[in-house]
Amino acid sequence: MTKILMVCLGNICRSPLAEGILKSKLPNSKFKIDSAGTGNYHIGDLPDQRSIKVAKKYGLDITDQRGRQFSVNDFDDYDLIYVMDESNFENVIKLARNAHDIAKVDYILNEIYPNQNHSVPDPYTGGIQGFENTYKMLDEACEQIANKLLYNS
Ligand code: 4NP
C-alpha cells in the first residue's frame, strides 16, 4: 500500500480537489490517499462549495471529505506528502523530525515542472474561475503522479 497525503492551508479548497482527483486515477486496493491543512480553521468542515461544484462538473464527488489539520504523525502514516505552495512547504517542514521526514515532502507541481517549486495559487478569495484553474493544474499533476506510481515503480 502506497500512502499519499495532499496538503494545503485550509484543507477545504485545493487539497480536497487533489485528493479526489488522485483517488479517481489509482486503485484504492493499493493506494491510500488523504488530505490535510496546515491551519486549524476548517477542522471537520466540508470542502468549499466551489471545490465541490468544480469536482462535480468533472464527475467527482468529494462530499465525503472533512477538514483536518496536518500533524507530525502524518510523517509516519504517509509515504509521500504533496504541498500546494511555499507556505505549506515551510509549515510542514517545520514539523519534520529528521531527513527521512523531509524527503517525503514535495511541491505537487514539481511532478510536472521538476525542481521549480511552483505554487498552486490559493483560490479561496477569488471566484469560480480560480477553482477551475486549480482543478486543471491538479489534474495534470495527479495524472503524472498516477502514471509514475502505476508504471515506473
Ligand atoms: P485552501 O484554501 O488552503 O486551498 O483550503 C484556503 C481555505 C481557507 C483559508 C485559507 C485558504 N482560510 O484562511 O480560512
Side-chain angles (χ1 to χ4, degrees):
M1 181 76 81
T2 303
K3 291 165 280 182
I4 303 153
L5 185 66
M6 302 295 188
V7 177
C8 62
L9 172 58
N11 191 211
I12 56 166
C13 299
R14 293 166 290 178
S15 60
L17 281 174
E19 175 186 337
I21 293 166
L22 192 60
K23 274 181 175 162
S24 76
K25 297 179 189 289
L26 290 171
N28 64 10
S29 55
K30 290 193 177 150
F31 297 92
K32 176 184 171 179
I33 301 155
D34 192 15
S35 63
T38 58
N40 62 2
Y41 325 110
H42 294 286
I43 294 170
D45 290 357
L46 270 171
D48 186 284
Q49 286 304 318
R50 296 162 294 177
S51 284
I52 290 175
K53 189 173 173 183
V54 170
K56 192 172 173 191
K57 178 178 162 186
Y58 293 99
L60 303 180
D61 181 358
I62 60 168
T63 59
D64 59 326
Q65 298 186 34
R66 295 294 180 275
R68 75 166 179 90
Q69 188 172 24
F70 181 84
S71 86
V72 68
N73 298 328
D74 288 314
F75 287 113
D76 298 322
D77 295 343
Y78 292 89
D79 305 302
L80 299 168
I81 298 169
Y82 286 112
V83 299
M84 302 294 136
D85 65 26
E86 190 178 359
S87 122
N88 310 151
F89 186 85
E90 283 169 5
N91 285 320
V92 166
I93 290 296
K94 257 185 232 162
L95 294 176
R97 300 154 299 185
N98 51 47
H100 184 65
D101 288 352
I102 292 171
K104 295 183 174 189
V105 186
D106 200 4
Y107 289 76
I108 192 166
L109 291 186
N110 279 350
E111 290 290 343
I112 38 182
Y113 307 109
N115 306 313
Q116 295 194 29
N117 298 348
H118 285 315
S119 289
V120 179
D122 184 350
Y124 185 58
T125 54
I128 192 76
Q129 188 58 46
F131 286 75
E132 277 280 349
N133 294 342
T134 299
Y135 187 95
K136 289 191 179 118
M137 275 182 232
L138 292 174
D139 189 52
E140 203 183 329
C142 288
E143 185 70 21
Q144 181 67 27
I145 293 168
N147 283 334
K148 189 163 95 172
L149 292 172
L150 287 170
Y151 307 117
N152 299 342
S153 55

